[in-house]
Amino acid sequence: MTVAVLYGGRSGEHEVSLVSAAAVARNITNHKIILIGINKDGLWFLQDENEYKRICADESAKLSIAEKDSNRISVVPGAKTQAFFVNGKALKIDVVFPVLHGTFGEDGTVQGLFEMADIPYVGCGVLASAVTMDKEKTKLILEQAGIKTVPFVCLRRSDLMNSDRYDATIKQIIQEFGFPLFVKPCNAGSSDGASKAENEKQLSVALMDAFNWDNKVLIEKAINAREIECSVTGNSVTAPEGDDIESVTAYMPGEILPSHQFYDYDAKYNDPSGASLLIPADLKEENIEKIRKIAVNAYKALDLSGLSRIDFFIDKDTNKLYLNEVNSIPGFTSISMFPKMCEAAGLPFKDLTELLIQEALRLYKIKASLKTSR
């Protein structure tokens, strides 16, 4: 079977993808690997076989993208396993493994392309990807499902154009939440554009930065929190009862102990000492099981499939538990929590990639049996 690993992308998380995808490609066994790199302009390029050999020979190597015009990729709708073309010839690909963090990778856009091409792919579908990328919509669905999230207000770019409405909204937020506040774009990942505001001046600067990344911005009450994460796999809509591949499974939660002010981009990806990872999290057994149960409920409420990392806060002052975010394509770097939590629960990286591939094939087979016309 041939697996295409898709990486890079037109995203603020392009560089993270180069590292994550290298780790994924190294840990796919017993299948032929094709590497497809997407540059920052969104152009797709087939990579030479030597690129795969290079990253396999060096565990610390990240992928690069060679942009040869003769290796430009095009995608043909409805062509199934021969949907990807290079230099006028079809590449036979059985399943796509996208390792594209953030915009144009984790937001439902590339998933829609795979659906139009009619090819199996790892991970969440179009709707689930789009919803979980949008932090406001995720919160609204989770609240409807009875899952507590951090209190928030969502500002839209249109709010900036009405000074009276904007001033009144900011005043209300400060009165209701007080400082400090967290500001983050609704549709960005890896803490891009996210910052903490301790006063009104910092809040204005934080909002300007966040609006550079998205047209919607969340302002959240800052929680003095422990950061807990939980890996989940499975196909929530189609899984038969007791199925080893598709059943929704929440693994042993871990805890992030950041050395930075908060778990920002540098702490996640650039600073080897940016955070300590504690697996399992230092919690009582009943609290671990509570987190796993909520993670599964959230996964099902959002119709997730394949994999997701679900992040929680535990308020150090009140001990209240909040679901913070859902990541449909979590990091796979050497310091990423998702594969580490799975491994701690007895699912090594190589077995994890195989599970995700088999989930994708199962889900595709079921969807392919559905009627699309009379």
Side-chain angles (χ1 to χ4, degrees):
M1 184 165 63
T2 300
V3 180
V5 176
L6 196 62
Y7 65 94
R10 188 177 153 201
S11 163
E13 299 174 77
H14 179 98
E15 283 75 16
V16 181
S17 173
L18 303 183
V19 182
S20 286
V24 168
R26 279 192 292 266
N27 283 280
I28 296 175
T29 57
N30 303 319
H31 303 301
K32 180 182 177 182
I33 304 296
I34 288 178
L35 296 175
I36 298 175
I38 305 175
N39 71 11
K40 292 183 178 181
D41 293 323
L43 300 176
W44 296 30
F45 297 91
L46 176 67
Q47 301 302 296
D48 190 273
E49 289 183 7
N50 288 330
E51 178 66 2
Y52 176 63
K53 292 177 182 177
R54 181 183 70 82
I55 62 160
C56 287
D58 181 359
E59 284 287 322
S60 63
K62 66 178 182 179
L63 283 161
S64 60
I65 300 175
E67 301 181 18
K68 297 179 182 178
D69 284 340
S70 59
N71 284 346
R72 281 274 300 273
I73 295 277
S74 57
V75 183
V76 177
K80 301 182 185 295
T81 59
Q82 294 188 322
F84 288 47
F85 275 73
V86 61
N87 214 11
K89 296 181 181 179
L91 296 170
K92 187 181 183 304
I93 293 172
D94 296 294
V95 60
V96 181
F97 200 131
V99 193
L100 296 165
H101 307 306
T103 51
F104 301 105
E106 203 172 351
D107 57 4
T109 51
V110 79
Q111 289 77 15
L113 180 63
F114 299 146
E115 293 286 349
M116 294 299 292
D118 197 9
I119 190 169
Y121 60 95
V122 169
C124 294
V126 177
L127 177 63
S129 297
V131 166
T132 53
M133 186 68 182
D134 188 314
K135 296 177 179 66
E136 180 204 20
K137 296 300 183 259
T138 298
K139 283 173 175 284
L140 294 175
I141 291 172
L142 292 175
E143 288 178 356
Q144 185 67 28
I147 297 172
K148 188 182 292 290
T149 67
V150 178
F152 75 99
V153 171
C154 181
L155 283 182
R156 288 159 168 77
R157 191 170 296 277
S158 59
D159 294 322
L160 303 180
M161 301 173 188
N162 185 320
S163 58
D164 290 340
R165 186 172 69 207
Y166 174 80
D167 291 342
T169 302
I170 294 298
K171 182 178 180 180
Q172 181 182 351
I173 290 169
I174 294 171
Q175 288 177 344
E176 186 174 347
F177 294 160
F179 286 104
L181 296 166
F182 269 109
V183 178
K184 59 181 75 169
C186 275
N187 291 277
S190 291
S191 301
D192 283 331
S195 53
K196 188 177 183 180
E198 301 281 357
N199 52 54
E200 286 192 52
K201 183 177 180 181
Q202 289 183 8
L203 178 58
S204 296
V205 172
L207 284 167
M208 285 191 291
D209 183 36
F211 272 112
N212 285 328
W213 293 88
D214 193 20
N215 290 316
K216 295 196 306 177
V217 169
L218 286 189
I219 301 177
E220 294 180 336
K221 178 180 174 62
I223 304 295
N224 179 24
R226 297 174 63 185
E227 300 188 43
I228 310 295
E229 300 186 347
C230 188
S231 300
V232 186
T233 62
N235 292 338
S236 65
V237 175
T238 61
E241 178 116 16
D243 185 272
D244 289 339
I245 292 174
E246 293 193 273
S247 288
V248 177
T249 302
Y251 298 87
M252 183 60 65
E255 183 168 2
I256 301 290
L257 303 172
S259 58
H260 294 214
Q261 185 180 31
F262 69 100
Y263 196 37
D264 60 6
Y265 186 96
D266 283 337
K268 288 176 179 176
Y269 302 116
N270 294 333
D271 183 357
S273 304
S276 299
L277 310 178
L278 185 62
I279 306 172
D282 185 17
L283 297 169
K284 293 180 180 179
E285 183 64 29
E286 60 264 31
N287 290 332
I288 285 176
E289 291 309 310
K290 180 180 180 180
I291 286 169
R292 292 178 67 193
K293 183 178 179 180
I294 294 173
V296 168
N297 290 343
Y299 197 91
K300 292 179 177 179
L302 294 162
D303 286 353
L304 304 184
S305 56
L307 73 159
S308 285
R309 194 193 71 237
I310 300 182
D311 301 344
F312 295 86
F313 285 159
I314 297 178
D315 192 320
K316 294 178 182 178
D317 302 321
T318 65
N319 213 34
K320 288 182 179 178
L321 177 66
Y322 300 94
L323 196 154
N324 179 38
E325 290 183 5
V326 177
N327 299 271
S328 63
I329 303 183
F332 281 95
T333 71
S334 61
I335 60 172
S336 293
M337 284 288 273
F338 185 87
K340 286 181 176 291
M341 288 186 287
C342 292
E343 187 160 13
L347 185 66
F349 206 150
K350 287 180 170 60
D351 293 342
L352 171 61
T353 57
E354 183 62 24
L355 173 67
L356 298 177
I357 289 167
Q358 294 304 320
E359 284 178 352
L361 295 171
R362 290 275 195 94
L363 183 57
Y364 175 80
K365 184 177 180 180
I366 292 169
K367 289 169 69 174
S369 69
L370 300 175
K371 290 183 176 182
T372 57
S373 61
R374 293 187 178 275

Coordinates of all heavy atoms in Angstrom, one line a residue, residues 26-92:
R26 N 8.8 8.6 9.3 CA 9.8 7.6 9.8 C 9.1 6.5 10.5 O 9.7 5.4 10.7 CB 10.8 8.3 10.8 CG 11.9 9.1 10.2 CD 13.0 9.5 11.2 NE 12.5 10.5 12.1 CZ 12.7 11.8 11.9 NH1 13.3 12.2 10.8 NH2 12.2 12.7 12.8
N27 N 7.9 6.8 11.0 CA 7.2 5.8 11.9 C 6.1 5.1 11.1 O 5.2 4.4 11.8 CB 6.7 6.4 13.2 CG 7.8 6.6 14.2 OD1 8.2 5.7 14.9 ND2 8.3 7.8 14.2
I28 N 6.0 5.2 9.8 CA 5.1 4.4 9.0 C 5.9 3.2 8.5 O 6.9 3.4 7.8 CB 4.4 5.2 7.9 CG1 3.6 6.3 8.4 CG2 3.6 4.3 7.0 CD1 3.0 7.2 7.4
T29 N 5.5 2.0 8.8 CA 6.2 0.8 8.4 C 5.4 -0.1 7.5 O 4.1 0.0 7.5 CB 6.7 0.0 9.6 OG1 5.5 -0.3 10.4 CG2 7.6 0.8 10.5
N30 N 6.0 -0.9 6.7 CA 5.4 -1.9 5.8 C 4.5 -1.3 4.7 O 3.7 -1.9 4.1 CB 4.5 -2.8 6.7 CG 5.3 -3.6 7.7 OD1 6.4 -4.0 7.5 ND2 4.7 -3.7 8.9
H31 N 4.7 0.0 4.4 CA 4.0 0.7 3.3 C 5.0 1.5 2.6 O 6.0 2.0 3.1 CB 2.9 1.6 3.8 CG 1.9 0.9 4.7 ND1 1.2 -0.2 4.2 CD2 1.5 1.1 6.0 CE1 0.3 -0.6 5.2 NE2 0.5 0.2 6.2
K32 N 4.8 1.7 1.3 CA 5.6 2.7 0.5 C 5.2 4.1 0.9 O 4.0 4.4 1.0 CB 5.3 2.4 -1.0 CG 6.1 3.3 -1.9 CD 5.8 3.1 -3.4 CE 6.6 4.1 -4.3 NZ 6.3 3.9 -5.7
I33 N 6.2 5.0 1.0 CA 5.9 6.3 1.4 C 6.2 7.3 0.2 O 7.2 7.2 -0.4 CB 6.8 6.8 2.6 CG1 6.6 5.8 3.8 CG2 6.5 8.2 3.0 CD1 5.2 5.9 4.4
I34 N 5.2 8.2 -0.1 CA 5.4 9.2 -1.0 C 5.3 10.5 -0.2 O 4.4 10.7 0.6 CB 4.4 9.2 -2.1 CG1 4.6 8.1 -3.1 CG2 4.4 10.5 -2.9 CD1 3.6 7.9 -4.2
L35 N 6.3 11.4 -0.4 CA 6.3 12.7 0.3 C 5.9 13.8 -0.6 O 6.4 14.0 -1.8 CB 7.7 13.0 0.8 CG 8.3 12.1 1.9 CD1 9.7 12.5 2.2 CD2 7.5 12.1 3.1
I36 N 4.9 14.6 -0.2 CA 4.4 15.7 -1.0 C 4.5 17.0 -0.1 O 3.8 17.0 0.9 CB 2.9 15.5 -1.4 CG1 2.8 14.3 -2.4 CG2 2.4 16.8 -2.2 CD1 1.4 13.9 -2.8
G37 N 5.3 17.9 -0.5 CA 5.5 19.1 0.2 C 4.7 20.3 -0.4 O 4.6 20.4 -1.6
I38 N 4.1 21.1 0.5 CA 3.4 22.3 0.1 C 4.1 23.5 0.6 O 4.4 23.6 1.8 CB 1.9 22.2 0.7 CG1 1.2 21.0 0.3 CG2 1.2 23.5 0.2 CD1 -0.2 20.8 1.0
N39 N 4.5 24.4 -0.4 CA 5.2 25.5 0.0 C 4.3 26.6 0.7 O 3.1 26.4 0.7 CB 6.1 26.1 -1.1 CG 5.2 26.8 -2.2 OD1 4.1 27.0 -2.1 ND2 5.9 27.1 -3.3
K40 N 4.9 27.7 1.1 CA 4.1 28.7 1.8 C 3.2 29.5 0.9 O 2.3 30.2 1.4 CB 5.1 29.7 2.5 CG 5.8 29.0 3.7 CD 6.7 30.0 4.4 CE 7.4 29.3 5.6 NZ 8.3 30.3 6.4
D41 N 3.3 29.3 -0.4 CA 2.4 29.9 -1.4 C 1.2 28.9 -1.7 O 0.3 29.3 -2.5 CB 3.1 30.3 -2.6 CG 4.1 31.5 -2.4 OD1 3.7 32.4 -1.6 OD2 5.1 31.5 -3.0
G42 N 1.3 27.7 -1.1 CA 0.2 26.7 -1.4 C 0.5 25.9 -2.6 O -0.4 25.1 -3.0
L43 N 1.7 25.9 -3.2 CA 2.0 25.0 -4.3 C 2.5 23.7 -3.8 O 3.2 23.6 -2.9 CB 3.0 25.7 -5.2 CG 2.7 27.0 -5.8 CD1 3.8 27.6 -6.6 CD2 1.4 26.9 -6.7
W44 N 2.0 22.6 -4.5 CA 2.3 21.2 -4.1 C 3.4 20.6 -5.0 O 3.4 20.8 -6.2 CB 1.1 20.3 -4.2 CG -0.1 20.7 -3.4 CD1 -0.4 21.9 -2.9 CD2 -1.1 19.8 -2.8 NE1 -1.6 21.8 -2.1 CE2 -2.0 20.5 -2.1 CE3 -1.2 18.4 -3.0 CZ2 -3.1 19.9 -1.5 CZ3 -2.3 17.8 -2.3 CH2 -3.2 18.6 -1.6
F45 N 4.4 19.9 -4.3 CA 5.5 19.4 -5.1 C 5.8 17.9 -4.6 O 5.9 17.7 -3.4 CB 6.8 20.2 -4.9 CG 6.7 21.6 -5.4 CD1 6.3 22.6 -4.6 CD2 7.0 21.9 -6.7 CE1 6.2 23.9 -5.1 CE2 7.0 23.2 -7.2 CZ 6.5 24.2 -6.4
L46 N 5.9 17.0 -5.5 CA 6.4 15.7 -5.2 C 7.9 15.7 -4.8 O 8.6 16.4 -5.5 CB 6.2 14.7 -6.4 CG 6.7 13.3 -6.3 CD1 5.9 12.5 -5.2 CD2 6.7 12.6 -7.6
Q47 N 8.2 15.0 -3.8 CA 9.6 15.1 -3.3 C 10.4 13.8 -3.8 O 9.8 12.7 -4.0 CB 9.7 15.2 -1.8 CG 9.0 16.4 -1.2 CD 9.6 17.7 -1.8 OE1 10.7 18.0 -1.5 NE2 8.8 18.4 -2.5
D48 N 11.7 14.0 -4.0 CA 12.5 12.9 -4.4 C 12.6 11.8 -3.3 O 12.5 12.1 -2.2 CB 13.9 13.4 -4.7 CG 14.8 12.4 -5.4 OD1 15.5 11.6 -4.7 OD2 14.8 12.4 -6.7
E49 N 12.8 10.6 -3.8 CA 12.9 9.5 -2.8 C 14.1 9.7 -1.8 O 14.0 9.2 -0.7 CB 13.1 8.1 -3.6 CG 11.9 7.7 -4.3 CD 12.1 6.3 -5.0 OE1 13.2 5.7 -4.7 OE2 11.2 5.9 -5.7
N50 N 15.1 10.4 -2.2 CA 16.3 10.7 -1.4 C 15.9 11.5 -0.1 O 16.5 11.4 0.9 CB 17.4 11.4 -2.1 CG 18.1 10.4 -3.1 OD1 18.1 9.2 -2.9 ND2 18.6 11.0 -4.2
E51 N 14.8 12.3 -0.2 CA 14.4 13.1 0.9 C 13.9 12.1 2.0 O 14.2 12.3 3.2 CB 13.3 14.1 0.5 CG 12.7 14.9 1.6 CD 13.7 15.9 2.2 OE1 14.9 15.9 1.8 OE2 13.4 16.5 3.2
Y52 N 13.1 11.1 1.6 CA 12.7 10.1 2.6 C 13.8 9.4 3.2 O 13.9 9.2 4.4 CB 11.7 9.2 1.9 CG 11.2 8.0 2.8 CD1 10.5 8.3 4.0 CD2 11.5 6.7 2.5 CE1 10.0 7.3 4.8 CE2 11.1 5.7 3.4 CZ 10.3 6.0 4.5 OH 9.9 5.0 5.3
K53 N 14.8 9.0 2.4 CA 16.0 8.3 2.9 C 16.8 9.2 3.9 O 17.3 8.7 4.9 CB 16.9 7.8 1.8 CG 16.2 6.8 0.9 CD 17.2 6.4 -0.3 CE 16.5 5.4 -1.2 NZ 17.4 5.1 -2.4
R54 N 16.8 10.4 3.6 CA 17.6 11.4 4.4 C 17.0 11.5 5.8 O 17.7 11.4 6.8 CB 17.6 12.8 3.7 CG 18.4 13.8 4.5 CD 18.3 15.2 3.9 NE 17.0 15.8 4.0 CZ 16.6 16.4 5.0 NH1 17.3 16.6 6.1 NH2 15.4 17.0 5.0
I55 N 15.7 11.6 5.9 CA 15.1 11.8 7.2 C 15.1 10.5 8.0 O 15.1 10.5 9.2 CB 13.6 12.4 7.2 CG1 12.7 11.5 6.4 CG2 13.7 13.8 6.6 CD1 11.2 11.7 6.6
C56 N 15.0 9.4 7.3 CA 15.1 8.1 8.0 C 16.5 7.8 8.5 O 16.6 7.1 9.5 CB 14.7 6.9 7.0 SG 12.9 6.9 6.6
A57 N 17.5 8.4 7.9 CA 18.9 8.2 8.4 C 19.2 9.1 9.5 O 20.2 8.8 10.2 CB 19.8 8.4 7.2
D58 N 18.4 10.1 9.8 CA 18.7 11.0 10.9 C 17.4 11.3 11.7 O 16.5 12.0 11.2 CB 19.3 12.3 10.3 CG 19.6 13.4 11.3 OD1 19.4 13.1 12.5 OD2 20.1 14.5 10.9
E59 N 17.4 10.8 12.9 CA 16.1 10.9 13.7 C 15.8 12.4 14.0 O 14.7 12.7 14.3 CB 16.3 10.1 15.0 CG 16.2 8.6 14.8 CD 14.8 8.2 14.6 OE1 13.8 8.8 15.2 OE2 14.5 7.3 13.8
S60 N 16.8 13.2 14.0 CA 16.6 14.6 14.3 C 16.3 15.5 13.1 O 16.0 16.7 13.2 CB 17.8 15.2 15.0 OG 18.9 15.2 14.2
A61 N 16.3 14.9 11.9 CA 16.1 15.7 10.6 C 14.7 16.1 10.5 O 13.7 15.3 10.8 CB 16.6 14.9 9.4
K62 N 14.5 17.3 10.0 CA 13.1 17.7 9.6 C 13.1 17.7 8.0 O 14.1 17.8 7.3 CB 12.8 19.1 10.1 CG 13.7 20.3 9.5 CD 13.2 21.6 10.1 CE 14.0 22.7 9.5 NZ 13.6 24.1 10.0
L63 N 11.9 17.6 7.5 CA 11.7 17.6 6.1 C 12.0 19.0 5.5 O 11.8 20.0 6.1 CB 10.2 17.2 5.7 CG 10.0 15.7 5.9 CD1 8.5 15.4 6.0 CD2 10.6 14.9 4.7
S64 N 12.3 19.0 4.2 CA 12.5 20.2 3.4 C 11.5 20.1 2.2 O 10.9 19.0 2.0 CB 13.9 20.4 3.0 OG 14.4 19.3 2.2
I65 N 11.4 21.1 1.4 CA 10.6 21.1 0.2 C 11.4 21.5 -1.0 O 11.8 22.7 -1.1 CB 9.3 21.9 0.4 CG1 8.5 21.5 1.6 CG2 8.5 21.9 -0.9 CD1 7.3 22.3 1.9
A66 N 11.7 20.6 -1.9 CA 12.3 20.9 -3.1 C 11.2 21.3 -4.1 O 10.3 20.6 -4.4 CB 13.1 19.7 -3.7
E67 N 11.3 22.5 -4.7 CA 10.3 23.1 -5.5 C 10.7 23.0 -7.0 O 10.9 24.0 -7.7 CB 10.0 24.6 -5.1 CG 9.6 24.7 -3.6 CD 9.3 26.1 -3.2 OE1 9.0 27.0 -4.1 OE2 9.3 26.4 -2.0
K68 N 10.7 21.8 -7.5 CA 11.0 21.6 -8.9 C 9.7 21.7 -9.8 O 8.7 21.0 -9.5 CB 11.6 20.2 -9.1 CG 12.9 20.0 -8.5 CD 13.4 18.5 -8.7 CE 14.7 18.3 -8.0 NZ 15.2 16.9 -8.2
D69 N 9.7 22.5 -10.8 CA 8.5 22.7 -11.6 C 8.1 21.4 -12.2 O 6.8 21.2 -12.4 CB 8.8 23.7 -12.7 CG 8.8 25.1 -12.2 OD1 8.3 25.4 -11.2 OD2 9.4 26.0 -12.9
S70 N 9.0 20.5 -12.6 CA 8.6 19.2 -13.2 C 7.9 18.3 -12.2 O 7.3 17.3 -12.6 CB 9.9 18.5 -13.7 OG 10.8 18.3 -12.7
N71 N 8.0 18.6 -10.9 CA 7.4 17.8 -9.8 C 6.1 18.5 -9.2 O 5.7 18.1 -8.2 CB 8.4 17.5 -8.7 CG 9.4 16.4 -9.1 OD1 9.2 15.7 -10.1 ND2 10.5 16.3 -8.4
R72 N 5.6 19.5 -9.9 CA 4.4 20.1 -9.4 C 3.2 19.1 -9.4 O 3.0 18.4 -10.4 CB 4.0 21.3 -10.3 CG 4.8 22.6 -10.0 CD 4.2 23.4 -8.9 NE 2.8 23.8 -9.2 CZ 2.5 24.9 -9.9 NH1 3.5 25.7 -10.4 NH2 1.3 25.3 -10.1
I73 N 2.5 19.1 -8.4 CA 1.3 18.2 -8.2 C 0.0 18.9 -8.6 O -0.2 20.0 -8.2 CB 1.2 17.7 -6.8 CG1 2.4 16.8 -6.4 CG2 -0.1 16.9 -6.5 CD1 2.4 15.4 -6.8
S74 N -0.8 18.2 -9.3 CA -2.2 18.6 -9.5 C -3.1 17.5 -9.0 O -2.7 16.3 -9.0 CB -2.5 18.9 -11.0 OG -2.2 17.8 -11.8
V75 N -4.4 17.9 -8.7 CA -5.3 16.9 -8.1 C -6.6 16.9 -9.0 O -7.1 18.0 -9.4 CB -5.7 17.3 -6.7 CG1 -6.7 16.2 -6.1 CG2 -4.5 17.4 -5.8
V76 N -7.0 15.7 -9.4 CA -8.1 15.6 -10.3 C -9.3 15.1 -9.5 O -9.3 14.0 -8.9 CB -7.8 14.6 -11.4 CG1 -9.1 14.4 -12.3 CG2 -6.7 15.1 -12.3
P77 N -10.4 15.8 -9.4 CA -11.6 15.4 -8.7 C -12.1 14.1 -9.2 O -12.2 13.8 -10.4 CB -12.6 16.5 -9.0 CG -11.8 17.7 -9.3 CD -10.6 17.2 -10.0
G78 N -12.5 13.2 -8.3 CA -13.2 11.9 -8.6 C -12.2 10.9 -9.1 O -12.7 9.8 -9.5
A79 N -11.0 11.1 -9.2 CA -10.0 10.1 -9.7 C -9.6 9.1 -8.7 O -8.7 8.2 -9.1 CB -8.8 10.8 -10.4
K80 N -10.0 9.1 -7.5 CA -9.8 8.1 -6.5 C -8.3 8.0 -6.3 O -7.6 9.0 -6.1 CB -10.5 6.8 -6.8 CG -12.0 6.9 -7.0 CD -12.6 5.6 -7.2 CE -14.1 5.7 -7.5 NZ -14.8 6.2 -6.3
T81 N -7.8 6.7 -6.3 CA -6.4 6.5 -6.0 C -5.4 7.0 -7.0 O -4.2 7.0 -6.8 CB -6.1 5.0 -5.8 OG1 -6.5 4.3 -7.0 CG2 -6.9 4.4 -4.6
Q82 N -5.9 7.5 -8.1 CA -5.1 8.1 -9.2 C -5.4 9.6 -9.3 O -5.3 10.2 -10.4 CB -5.3 7.4 -10.5 CG -4.7 5.9 -10.4 CD -4.7 5.3 -11.8 OE1 -5.6 5.5 -12.6 NE2 -3.7 4.5 -12.0
A83 N -5.8 10.2 -8.2 CA -6.2 11.6 -8.2 C -5.0 12.6 -8.3 O -5.2 13.7 -8.7 CB -7.1 11.9 -7.0
F84 N -3.8 12.1 -7.9 CA -2.7 13.0 -7.8 C -1.8 12.8 -9.1 O -1.4 11.7 -9.4 CB -1.8 12.7 -6.6 CG -2.4 13.2 -5.3 CD1 -3.8 12.9 -5.0 CD2 -1.7 13.9 -4.4 CE1 -4.3 13.3 -3.8 CE2 -2.2 14.3 -3.1 CZ -3.6 14.0 -2.9
F85 N -1.6 13.9 -9.8 CA -0.8 13.9 -11.0 C 0.4 14.7 -10.9 O 0.5 15.8 -10.3 CB -1.7 14.4 -12.2 CG -2.6 13.4 -12.8 CD1 -3.7 12.9 -12.2 CD2 -2.3 12.9 -14.1 CE1 -4.6 12.0 -12.7 CE2 -3.1 11.9 -14.7 CZ -4.3 11.5 -14.0
V86 N 1.5 14.2 -11.5 CA 2.8 14.9 -11.6 C 3.3 14.7 -13.0 O 3.4 13.6 -13.5 CB 3.8 14.5 -10.5 CG1 4.1 13.0 -10.6 CG2 5.0 15.4 -10.6
N87 N 3.7 15.8 -13.7 CA 4.2 15.7 -15.0 C 3.4 14.9 -16.0 O 3.9 14.2 -16.8 CB 5.6 15.1 -15.0 CG 6.6 15.7 -16.0 OD1 6.2 16.7 -16.6 ND2 7.7 15.1 -16.2
G88 N 2.0 15.0 -15.8 CA 1.1 14.4 -16.7 C 0.8 12.9 -16.4 O 0.0 12.2 -17.1
K89 N 1.5 12.4 -15.3 CA 1.3 11.0 -15.0 C 0.6 10.9 -13.6 O 1.0 11.6 -12.7 CB 2.6 10.2 -15.0 CG 3.3 10.2 -16.3 CD 4.6 9.4 -16.3 CE 5.3 9.4 -17.6 NZ 6.6 8.7 -17.6
A90 N -0.2 9.9 -13.4 CA -0.9 9.7 -12.1 C 0.0 9.0 -11.1 O 0.7 8.0 -11.5 CB -2.2 8.9 -12.4
L91 N -0.1 9.4 -9.9 CA 0.6 8.7 -8.8 C -0.4 7.8 -8.2 O -1.5 8.3 -7.8 CB 1.1 9.7 -7.8 CG 2.2 10.7 -8.2 CD1 2.4 11.7 -7.1 CD2 3.5 9.9 -8.4
K92 N -0.2 6.5 -8.0 CA -1.1 5.7 -7.3 C -0.9 5.8 -5.8 O 0.1 5.5 -5.3 CB -0.9 4.2 -7.7 CG -2.0 3.3 -7.2 CD -1.9 1.9 -7.5 CE -3.0 1.0 -7.0 NZ -3.2 1.2 -5.5

